[in-house]
Amino acid sequence: MSVYAGIDFGTSGARLAVIDRTGQPLFQIGDRFQQPTDWTKTWKATLFHQIQQVPTDLRQEIGAIAINGTSSTVLLCDGAGQPIAPPLLYNDARGAGELDPLRQFFAQQQENSPPGKDTVLSATSSLVKLLWWQQQPYFAQAHYLLHQADWLAYLLHGQLGISDYHNSLKLGYDVAHLCYPNWMERLGILPLLPRVVAPGTPIGLAQPQVASQLGLSEHCQICAGTTDSIAAFLASGAASPGEAVTSLGSTLVLKLLSKTPVENGQYGIYSHRLGDLWLVGGASNTGGAVLQQFFSAAELEGLSAQISASQESSLDYYPLVQPGERFPINDAQLRPRLEPRPADPVAFLHGLLESMARIEAEGYRLLQTLGASPLTQVYTAGGGAKNETWNAIRSRQMGVSVIRSPHTEAAYGTALLALRGCHNLPEN
């Protein structure tokens, strides 16, 4: 078997990528979800459909498959792996009422700062969703709490109750010591929690009947997965401490590879484990959504070309779509600052891009101040990565080179995970 497949289940659709042993892309396909009435049926149909779309000869050569899912999208399943309730998606905050009891629970613990406390204290964390489910009348039927990627992999390998430590971070799993912390036992939920392995770990062969149905080899391994955002990081090429990836989408997301982890609930900073290194991240509410309020795509391209990237703009903005910021400033009431606005649209855009670059640079400085490795290089992904003027401004503000990621698709990063897992290569 000489090729490897990664499947990315994002918020609006799914993508599959096949690569060879050198990481060369061989095949890719994508599907959008069409407002499903039953998410699990849609996910399963999409998973099977995408595998079946791989050309037959290539499909027979797939030696391993890994799947990523959206962080904190979870399912509650019975003993046969069937969902007993609709899944709770990544942004579902119906469990917010469990936050105060959880904070009180932590306050009563003997540990001064229980591991993972800040990570799970979010209305959308996997743990909070499980605690909300615990209050529902059908909870007694539950045997397994599975993340989206766990359940999809189970459909292929047939083994229930297995997850990876990327997906399990927001469930409360202690990624530093690779175990569930003692405080989780006191919540009465341990029997439902999955066994956690390293992302990319081979779990088992595709079930014979599934392999036959999908046209896979009987030797195809199914590996533990990851989350969509980490898969995108893996795709970037960043591999050494100090290398970072900034995603320039509607918001600004920073991820810095570090020798040491950083946890800070005040700024929403937490660390994912990547082998022996740590992926330290933070997210600002500034970003492309602000630019789209003022400029079309064509205007952004044309006006950017007229900006002198080596000349710093004197305009000092804090571009936000609406009030509220968490990183690198923690202020829920922080108001957008977009004045004064010059009549010249080139000058206005220059001020916006410069100010966003300052926010990005301040974010990386904060991560380093809190203990992360010094920044050495930034890979850039997302729609804004195509703007070379912005990249030059960002490089000047941060004092390091900024380069476009050679690969940006999460499916590609997940395929790399399958490749590395099957050949015992370092996760990072």
Side-chain angles (χ1 to χ4, degrees):
M1 301 296 104
S2 58
V3 304
Y4 306 86
I7 309 175
D8 163 40
F9 275 77
T11 58
S12 58
R15 298 190 71 84
L16 176 147
V18 179
I19 63 173
D20 65 17
R21 192 165 179 171
T22 69
Q24 181 68 28
L26 301 176
F27 178 81
Q28 184 171 282
I29 188 174
D31 291 298
R32 294 189 66 83
F33 300 138
Q34 300 297 322
Q35 296 183 332
T37 56
D38 186 324
W39 276 109
T40 54
K41 286 184 178 179
T42 296
W43 292 341
K44 180 178 179 178
T46 302
L47 172 66
F48 282 38
H49 169 74
Q50 291 204 332
I51 294 174
Q52 289 170 324
Q53 295 310 298
V54 179
T56 303
D57 57 342
L58 197 60
R59 208 183 324 157
Q60 278 286 315
E61 289 296 310
I62 295 176
I65 297 173
I67 302 170
N68 78 66
T70 49
S71 180
S72 293
T73 293
V74 288
L75 302 92
L76 200 60
C77 299
D78 63 18
Q82 293 297 313
I84 63 173
L88 298 184
L89 303 187
Y90 69 101
N91 58 352
D92 194 310
R94 72 184 69 187
E98 302 300 322
L99 283 175
D100 282 344
L102 191 57
R103 290 190 183 98
Q104 294 171 17
F105 168 80
F106 283 132
Q108 295 167 1
Q109 302 311 300
Q110 294 180 353
E111 303 100 324
N112 289 331
S113 182
K117 175 176 73 69
D118 288 336
T119 307
V120 300
L121 282 174
S122 161
T124 58
S125 76
S126 303
L127 178 62
V128 166
K129 287 169 179 163
L130 178 54
L131 295 177
W132 179 83
W133 262 326
Q134 196 176 31
Q135 310 303 318
Q136 308 311 308
Y138 48 79
F139 185 76
Q141 305 171 40
H143 283 70
Y144 299 98
L145 183 284
L146 296 175
H147 302 92
Q148 179 186 32
D150 309 337
W151 186 76
L152 289 166
Y154 150 73
L155 296 179
L156 300 180
H157 59 59
Q159 299 183 45
L160 281 163
I162 303 175
S163 188
D164 64 89
Y165 59 57
H166 290 162
N167 273 294
S168 299
L169 179 70
K170 294 181 182 178
L171 187 56
Y173 187 77
D174 183 350
V175 295
H177 299 96
L178 298 178
C179 63
Y180 287 110
N182 291 334
W183 57 260
M184 295 196 74
E185 186 173 356
R186 299 161 203 154
L187 293 174
I189 55 174
L190 277 183
L192 278 73
L193 302 186
R195 175 170 66 90
V196 178
V197 300
T201 300
I203 295 173
L205 298 175
Q207 300 177 81
Q209 69 273 25
V210 173
S212 176
Q213 177 183 351
L214 299 180
L216 295 169
S217 162
E218 61 182 7
H219 303 295
C220 180
Q221 288 276 0
I222 311 302
C223 301
T226 182
T227 66
D228 53 351
S229 63
I230 294 184
F233 181 90
L234 296 174
S236 72
S240 301
E243 293 185 334
V245 174
T246 297
S247 180
L248 300 173
S250 57
T251 60
L252 191 68
V253 181
L254 281 56
K255 295 185 183 299
L256 173 61
L257 203 54
S258 173
K259 292 181 180 179
T260 54
V262 175
E263 303 287 337
N264 188 293
Q266 179 183 359
Y267 295 104
I269 299 169
Y270 56 89
S271 299
H272 274 286
R273 185 171 189 145
L274 277 182
D276 294 329
L277 298 178
W278 298 89
L279 189 55
V280 182
S284 168
N285 291 334
T286 195
V290 181
L291 298 177
Q292 292 169 1
Q293 284 188 318
F294 300 104
F295 304 102
S296 67
E299 288 171 333
L300 284 171
E301 182 178 355
L303 297 173
S304 294
Q306 302 177 53
I307 295 172
S308 175
S310 61
Q311 181 70 38
E312 184 167 7
S313 171
S314 61
L315 295 169
D316 184 17
Y317 298 146
Y318 206 104
L320 297 170
V321 173
Q322 59 190 21
E325 178 67 305
R326 188 171 188 184
F327 174 88
I329 295 173
N330 179 22
D331 183 354
Q333 306 303 319
L334 183 68
R335 300 193 63 80
R337 189 168 70 246
L338 296 165
E339 299 289 343
R341 179 173 177 176
D344 180 5
V346 175
F348 181 48
L349 177 59
H350 189 180
L352 290 173
L353 297 181
E354 191 84 51
S355 298
M356 291 180 188
R358 292 191 192 108
I359 293 169
E360 180 183 6
E362 185 180 343
Y364 281 119
R365 283 194 293 271
L366 176 59
L367 294 180
Q368 293 166 88
T369 298
L370 293 172
S373 294
L375 182 68
T376 61
Q377 181 171 277
V378 174
Y379 291 85
T380 188
K386 302 173 185 176
N387 191 319
E388 294 301 339
T389 301
W390 195 4
N391 290 342
I393 292 172
R394 295 166 56 218
S395 180
R396 171 168 49 76
Q397 282 286 346
M398 290 185 284
V400 300
S401 62
V402 173
I403 61 175
R404 290 177 63 178
S405 300
H407 300 284
T408 59
E409 291 285 352
Y412 177 86
T414 309
L416 284 178
L417 192 65
L419 164 63
R420 293 168 182 170
C422 278
H423 294 282
N424 295 314
L425 300 175
E427 188 180 340
N428 50 282

